[in-house]
Amino acid sequence: MEYQEGGGVLHVVMFPWLAMGHLIPFHHLSTLLASKGHKISFLSTPRNLSRLPKTPPSLSSLINLIPLPFPHLQNLPPLSESSMDIPHQQAQLLKIAFDSLETPLALFLESASPKPDWVVYDYASHWLPPLAADLGVSAAYFSLFNAANMAFIGPPSMVLEREYARTTAEDFTVVPRWITAPSEIVYRRHEVAKFMESSEGNESGTNDVERFAVSIGGSDVVLFRTCVEFEPEWFDIVCELYNKPVVALGFLPPQLVSNEEGGNDEEWGEIEGWLEKQRVNSVIYVALGTEATLSQDELTGLALGLERSRLPFFWVFRKPPGSIRDQLEMLPDGFVNRVMDRGRVYTDWAPQARILSHPAIGGFLTHCGWNSVIEGLSYGRVLILFPVMNDQGLNARLLAGKKLGVEIPRNEWDGTFTSDSVSDSVRLAMESEEGETLRANAREAKFLFGDKCINERYVDSFVHYFVENRPSKK
């Protein structure tokens, strides 16, 4: 067991929002803390806990998975414990269910032995900071969005004031007043429209901006899944906006976490066998995360664009929540047969980091979720940017601005695009002379995003902060 200088063993409670893109990074952080000898209590609902990667046997005595009862709500389908289980229009119902976990969480924090030193949470838990303070537990807000995103959301002291309220889609398509430096990191109107659709009605009684602001404002420290070297200008801005301790954790890349992604060797053997037949750096990996749902027109345009690119691709195509149609039936007639000599549509769960690490992969057509971006760049894959919802549009602007990928052009008003725009973007990123700068930058990014030593130093610095600022030392 590893002890920190001047410290001892911490007891850290993890309480993420009910989305796989939040649960997995929280579990990665838990694994890294446990590898330093600290005790972790990971709290979520039963189905979400069952979806987590397996804890390494050497750490099983230090990481305890604590199930909290998931409520049954009218209009929320059975077993819908995560955002990946529901269409985005039902997000507010999931937040109502999440808010009901306040009481069982409070009971755990009050009765746990040893007493927790820290509780780590994220944006949806606006009610948690005062609860933790009352119980003498330090509260750490874990931002799963990068610093550029959070700077755009704004400082808690301002965003809740009527003067700074953003009430229309157009309000999100301009640089906010608290950012005085030149910036192109704004939303497109169609991206905001989808976000506002998921918030329509606000059945939970608390909108997302308020959740962000109150959760951050009440924290003792804000943790960022980023490296300062990647976005120093934005990290400086959030430090100024928050006026409280801000700690970068590093990227928590796959290279840093020892536990396997899951799945089985037979499934990986099949995928690997297909990849082994392809040329080095020739394949586009296509994956749009666990939540992004495309319309039929968008699916058709994406498929035909991949076909017209004439480049090999491996497309992980997840069934949309609530859909009863077979995924392959959603694709254009004859598509699978026409591309079978160079393209693979994979409809099961796939080990994304393992695929991205294969030398046949050259580029990554991604929805721009921060988890996926980190995985892609940690292996030096050039990005084809296709944001769909949430933070993804801002990520796309940030990455395009840093010349790490090319964004597929879309109509800013309604988000429509052509198959030719997909084909042209893919070919630019993968093989054109014009795209060589993007490919070179992505290869270079691997030495920051995927560097084990750099990211371990960030984790060590974070753990030192937790030890030195535990409640007993205040």
Side-chain angles (χ1 to χ4, degrees):
M1 184 176 291
E2 188 174 322
Y3 293 90
Q4 300 299 311
E5 181 182 350
V9 176
L10 295 170
H11 181 192
V12 180
V13 175
M14 297 286 180
F15 185 63
W17 162 239
L18 307 178
M20 294 312 297
H22 294 238
L23 289 150
I24 297 298
F26 268 76
H27 191 263
H28 286 350
L29 187 59
S30 299
T31 301
L32 293 168
L33 275 167
S35 72
K36 308 289 185 184
H38 300 293
K39 175 181 173 62
I40 306 298
S41 295
F42 195 110
L43 278 65
S44 192
T45 62
R47 193 172 189 215
N48 286 321
L49 293 179
S50 71
R51 289 165 161 164
L52 293 174
K54 291 182 179 179
T55 300
S58 61
L59 302 178
S60 60
S61 64
L62 291 171
I63 300 179
N64 295 315
L65 305 182
I66 312 293
L68 300 180
F70 189 77
H72 297 286
L73 293 185
Q74 188 177 4
N75 299 324
L76 193 64
L79 302 178
S80 297
E81 297 184 17
S82 165
S83 57
M84 70 180 290
D85 300 322
I86 59 171
H88 68 270
Q89 294 89 344
Q90 292 185 327
Q92 287 294 313
L93 294 177
L94 192 63
K95 289 185 173 74
I96 294 173
F98 180 76
D99 289 342
S100 74
L101 301 180
E102 178 179 359
T103 297
L105 174 67
L107 290 173
F108 178 84
L109 292 176
E110 194 169 11
S111 62
S113 179
K115 181 181 177 180
D117 298 292
W118 288 91
V119 57
V120 182
Y121 64 104
D122 66 312
Y123 87 98
S125 314
H126 63 293
W127 38 263
L128 191 151
L131 170 63
D134 287 346
L135 295 173
V137 179
S138 292
Y141 179 91
F142 183 9
S143 173
L144 299 174
F145 302 148
N146 52 50
N149 255 276
M150 298 307 292
F152 184 90
I153 289 174
S157 60
M158 296 172 70
V159 297
L160 297 180
E161 296 180 14
R162 181 173 298 180
E163 178 185 356
Y164 297 98
R166 289 178 282 196
T167 58
T168 69
E170 287 72 18
D171 291 337
F172 291 87
T173 63
V174 296
V175 178
R177 281 181 280 174
W178 48 81
I179 295 176
T180 57
S183 174
E184 295 183 359
I185 300 179
V186 296
Y187 281 107
R188 309 288 190 241
R189 191 190 183 284
H190 70 90
E191 296 163 346
V192 185
K194 182 167 281 191
F195 165 77
M196 297 184 90
E197 183 182 348
S198 68
S199 302
E200 193 172 13
N202 194 27
E203 294 95 334
S204 73
T206 310
N207 63 45
D208 282 352
V209 171
E210 185 176 349
R211 287 179 187 270
F212 272 107
V214 176
S215 296
I216 294 168
S219 67
D220 294 298
V221 61
V222 178
L223 312 175
F224 273 96
R225 189 186 182 188
T226 193
C227 287
V228 178
E229 299 95 315
F230 174 66
E231 47 174 350
E233 68 282 24
W234 294 109
F235 195 81
D236 288 346
I237 288 173
V238 293
C239 288
E240 294 174 9
L241 294 179
Y242 290 168
N243 194 30
K244 65 172 59 193
V246 178
V247 175
L249 298 175
F251 291 116
L252 310 182
Q255 293 89 336
L256 209 61
V257 184
S258 60
N259 52 307
E260 293 295 328
E261 287 187 277
N264 60 55
D265 289 338
E266 184 178 344
E267 290 171 343
W268 169 243
E270 180 189 354
I271 295 170
E272 185 182 33
W274 187 87
L275 291 172
E276 289 290 332
K277 297 174 184 177
Q278 314 304 318
R279 290 183 294 106
V280 171
N281 291 330
S282 68
V283 177
I284 311 143
Y285 175 64
V286 183
L288 302 180
T290 57
E291 296 183 36
T293 301
L294 302 186
S295 68
Q296 185 60 62
D297 285 344
E298 289 172 329
L299 270 177
T300 299
L302 183 58
L304 295 179
L306 290 170
E307 181 179 359
R308 289 176 181 174
S309 76
R310 300 187 180 278
L311 294 174
F313 63 86
F314 190 97
W315 184 0
V316 178
F317 182 16
R318 178 181 169 270
K319 181 179 289 190
S323 173
I324 59 175
R325 293 179 65 193
D326 181 89
Q327 290 103 303
L328 299 183
E329 293 177 358
M330 302 177 191
L331 298 173
D333 290 343
F335 170 77
V336 174
N337 289 333
R338 292 195 302 270
V339 301
M340 67 169 47
D341 63 327
R342 59 179 175 82
R344 178 75 190 275
V345 180
Y346 196 78
T347 57
D348 294 322
W349 179 89
Q352 178 162 290
R354 212 167 179 182
I355 293 171
L356 286 165
S357 72
H358 195 280
I361 301 296
F364 183 12
L365 196 161
T366 173
H367 65 308
C368 307
W370 193 228
N371 293 330
S372 289
V373 167
I374 288 170
E375 289 182 342
L377 291 177
S378 71
Y379 294 109
R381 308 310 180 199
V382 67
L383 304 175
I384 299 100
L385 308 166
F386 188 72
V388 180
M389 58 192 298
N390 298 338
D391 61 319
Q392 298 158 15
L394 299 183
N395 290 341
R397 313 294 109 76
L398 175 68
L399 296 160
K402 292 184 178 291
K403 299 191 184 305
L404 293 165
V406 57
E407 184 171 355
I408 295 172
R410 306 181 72 165
N411 180 293
E412 294 197 12
W413 185 264
D414 61 14
T416 54
F417 62 95
T418 66
S419 56
D420 284 340
S421 68
V422 175
S423 173
D424 292 346
S425 299
V426 165
R427 294 182 69 87
L428 186 154
M430 292 290 290
E431 63 178 18
S432 77
E433 185 176 342
E434 184 184 354
E436 177 52 37
T437 298
L438 305 179
R439 295 190 290 275
N441 289 344
R443 289 192 295 269
E444 182 66 23
K446 174 175 65 175
F447 299 107
L448 177 60
F449 279 78
D451 187 279
K452 192 171 182 180
C453 291
I454 291 174
N455 284 282
E456 279 181 340
R457 285 199 297 269
Y458 271 98
V459 171
D460 288 343
S461 177
F462 147 70
V463 175
H464 179 76
Y465 180 90
F466 257 29
V467 170
E468 291 302 310
N469 292 276
R470 66 197 304 176
S472 61
K473 289 204 166 195
K474 291 182 180 179

